[in-house]
């Protein structure tokens, strides 16, 4: 059983089904879907989409950018370039992809359905009840299903994690993300390029890239700003452009013009949680954590969903090794946790470190800009 039908939960159910298990997914929302806008996936994640036969469709719906460019948000000038395209694809064995979240979610949903995953919407999992041989779910609905194992993929505010580990909720950071989407046809030609651009400025950065086959530009500003009352919970609070503009110090003309052209903004407050201390915090008995429920991270390495996909793949491999005896399941979940916890912790820490680097001022900024000049000569190690 899987709690949560986000990108992580659907991928986990797909991987489990392909490993020979029957997966049931319980999702609290009345309808399956994804809020938000674009998502970047590095080759570590697109490799997995290929393994699940989803890459060709993902490339048709999304975009394969030719390069990542770092620019100074104040001056607009180029700080460094990381070429992607064919050369990078040959080196890393898979392309870099930018895609709308709803499209990625839709592809996973279709694949899961085709593989035989059973999805139950409008079913909030309140708690689990574990015995030596099974796990039961306490649902809002009357029925209490039981299964051999539970994967808690219930996201950042995971209640099932709280039950499993007894730890506190994640803490809100002082970083807020404003995301917008704008049709390319409404933008000057300089924006209609197949590239990911990271605009770095003191106490802020922005990331822009094409989605929807190049028809839309996705833009996200990350500002150091205290969240307002009522914004802590939930995703995608509507935000007035005036608020974003008031929070933006002197940024270059193209970025200011872009802000004017975006029809509406959605706001997320970014949250932090320290990495788990060991595999025993990612899986216990017949219950495993996956995706943001296990390791929420700042989106400053664009790896949160990628880690959820990697988790799902590792889970599928661990489950494929279980013989017919379901008594082996706790051992399989332990193997999954052993494989995943250190990598996820490392990526979480590096994502957080990027917050300091991206928003740097003074000597750190000078050092960063110097290092960015050699971006194209370095190798991504994800
Ligand atoms: P979620 O997407 O949170 O899904 C959890 C699901 O569980 C939801 O459907 C929810 O309704 C359901 N649920 C919750 N509680 C219950 C319950 N009790 N019972 C049943 N269902 C429940 N990652 C990248 O790889 N690349 C990027 O470029 C990138 N950009 C990002 C930009 C921003 C601004 C942000 C905030 C994040 C970004 N991420 C990115 C991170 C990525 O979005 C997340 O890591 C990813 O969506 C996590 O997926 P998930 O399935 O674990 O959790």
């Amino acid at each position: 059983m899987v709690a949560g039908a986000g990108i992580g939960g659907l991928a986990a159910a797909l991987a489990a089904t392909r490993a020979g298990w029957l997966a049931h997914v319980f999702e609290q929302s009345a309808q399956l879907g994804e809020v938000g806008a674009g998502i970047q996936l590095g080759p570590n994640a697109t490799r997995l989409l290929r393994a699940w036969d989803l890459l060709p469709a993902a490339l048709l719906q999304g975009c394969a950018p030719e390069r990542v460019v770092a620019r100074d948000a104040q001056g607009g000038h180029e700080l460094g370039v990381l070429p992607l395209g064919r050369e990078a694809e040959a080196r890393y064995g898979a392309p870099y992809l930018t895609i709308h979240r709803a499209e990625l979610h839709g592809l996973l949903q279709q694949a899961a359905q085709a593989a035989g995953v059973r999805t139950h919407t409008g079913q909030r999992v309140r708690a689990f009840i574990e015995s030596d041989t099974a796990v039961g779910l306490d649902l809002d609905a009357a029925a209490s299903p039981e299964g051999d194992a539970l994967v808690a993929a219930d996201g950042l505010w995971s209640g099932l994690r709280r039950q499993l580990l007894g730890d506190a909720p994640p803490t809100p950071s002082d970083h807020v993300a404003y995301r917008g989407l704008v049709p390319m046809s409404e933008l000057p030609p300089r924006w209609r390029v197949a590239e990911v651009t990271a605009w770095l400025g003191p106490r802020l950065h922005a990331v822009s890239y094409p989605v929807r086959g190049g028809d839309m530009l996705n833009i996200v500003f990350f500002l150091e700003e205290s969240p307002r009352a009522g914004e802590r919970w939930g995703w995608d609070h509507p935000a007035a452009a005036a608020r974003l503009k008031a929070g933006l110090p002197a940024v270059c003309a193209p970025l200011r013009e872009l802000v004017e052209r975006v029809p509406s903004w959605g706001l997320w407050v970014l949250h932090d949680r320290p990495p788990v201390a060991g595999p025993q915090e990612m899986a216990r008995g017949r219950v495993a954590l996956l995706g943001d429920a296990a390791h929420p991270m700042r989106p400053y390495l664009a790896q949160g969903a990628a880690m959820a996909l990697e988790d799902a793949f590792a889970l599928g491999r661990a489950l494929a090794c279980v013989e017919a005896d379901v008594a082996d399941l706790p051992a399989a979940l332990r193997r999954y946790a052993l494989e995943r916890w250190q990598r996820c912790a490392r990526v979480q820490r590096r994502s957080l470190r990027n917050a300091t680097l991206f928003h740097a001022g003074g000597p750190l900024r000078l050092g960063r800009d110097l290092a960015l000049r050699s971006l194209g000569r370095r190798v991504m190690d994800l």
Side-chain angles (χ1 to χ4, degrees):
M1 297 181 295
V2 179
I7 289 167
L10 286 178
L14 174 63
T17 309
R18 294 216 174 162
W21 295 83
L22 172 61
H24 286 263
V25 183
F26 298 90
E27 165 58 43
Q28 65 181 4
S29 308
Q31 281 194 326
L32 291 187
E34 259 287 341
V35 291
I39 200 158
Q40 306 174 62
L41 291 180
N44 60 313
T46 56
R47 223 176 275 144
L48 307 180
L49 295 183
R50 177 184 287 146
W52 289 322
D53 305 320
L54 298 178
L55 186 57
L59 284 168
L60 269 182
Q61 296 184 17
C63 295
E66 289 294 326
R67 50 192 211 145
V68 177
V69 184
R71 287 186 181 277
D72 186 283
Q74 291 176 312
H77 51 276
E78 200 172 280
L79 298 171
V81 178
L82 177 69
L84 297 174
R86 284 183 194 286
E87 197 188 315
E89 184 173 346
R91 175 182 286 162
Y92 300 113
Y96 202 94
L97 172 76
T98 56
I99 187 167
H100 196 283
R101 274 162 192 277
E103 288 170 345
L104 176 63
H105 190 268
L107 288 173
L108 287 166
Q109 191 187 327
Q110 281 163 21
Q113 199 179 356
V117 171
R118 314 263 170 88
T119 310
H120 312 270
T121 50
Q123 305 273 0
R124 190 171 72 88
V125 182
R126 284 195 294 225
F128 62 86
I129 308 108
E130 192 184 358
S131 71
D132 285 347
T133 52
V135 189
L137 297 185
D138 176 8
L139 298 178
D140 278 343
S144 304
E146 211 179 67
D148 300 318
L150 170 66
V151 175
D154 51 340
L156 175 66
W157 293 285
S158 172
L160 298 173
R161 173 186 176 123
R162 215 161 32 251
Q163 183 185 349
L164 188 72
L165 305 183
D167 61 357
T171 48
S173 74
D174 56 355
H175 285 208
V176 168
Y178 292 79
R179 71 108 188 116
L181 274 174
V182 56
M184 285 287 191
S185 57
E186 291 177 17
L187 293 175
R190 76 158 70 89
W191 292 102
R192 294 185 221 144
V193 285
E195 69 180 36
V196 175
T197 311
W199 306 80
L200 311 181
R203 298 169 60 81
L204 81 117
H205 79 282
V207 182
S208 56
Y209 52 83
V211 291
R212 297 236 193 258
D215 288 345
M216 307 285 287
L217 183 80
N218 182 84
I219 171 92
V220 190
F221 279 89
F222 297 94
L223 305 189
E224 293 185 20
E225 179 186 309
S226 296
R228 297 181 182 172
E231 287 175 348
R232 181 172 168 194
W233 304 97
W235 286 55
D236 224 14
H237 299 282
R243 176 172 166 191
L244 170 60
K245 282 189 261 180
L248 280 181
V251 291
C252 59
L255 270 183
R256 260 185 289 118
E257 283 163 23
L258 184 62
V259 171
E260 298 297 340
R261 289 175 195 256
V262 173
S264 64
W265 293 94
L267 180 148
W268 285 274
V269 175
L270 303 184
H271 285 70
D272 293 321
R273 194 189 256 304
V276 297
Q280 72 286 356
E281 293 191 359
M282 230 171 134
R284 283 185 187 170
R286 292 178 177 273
V287 182
L289 303 178
L290 184 140
D292 277 10
H295 42 66
M297 57 187 74
R298 297 279 180 102
Y300 299 165
L301 206 54
Q303 280 292 326
M307 288 301 110
L309 295 176
E310 284 193 6
D311 287 350
F313 197 78
L315 179 76
R317 254 201 324 243
L319 290 177
C321 297
V322 180
E323 300 299 335
D325 184 1
V326 295
D328 292 345
L329 263 173
L333 297 185
R334 258 199 318 278
R335 260 201 309 280
Y336 151 76
L338 263 173
E339 181 179 334
R340 295 299 300 151
W341 79 275
Q342 278 171 314
R343 172 160 170 81
C344 295
R346 186 168 65 95
V347 175
Q348 254 176 306
R349 279 193 288 267
R350 284 186 49 190
S351 302
L352 190 59
R353 195 184 61 192
N354 273 359
T356 313
L357 285 177
F358 288 179
H359 292 198
L364 182 59
R365 175 184 178 180
L366 292 177
R368 176 201 70 199
D369 291 355
L370 206 62
L372 280 172
R373 287 197 206 147
S374 66
L375 192 60
R377 294 195 292 278
R378 278 187 269 134
V379 172
M380 288 189 276
D381 70 348
L382 280 165

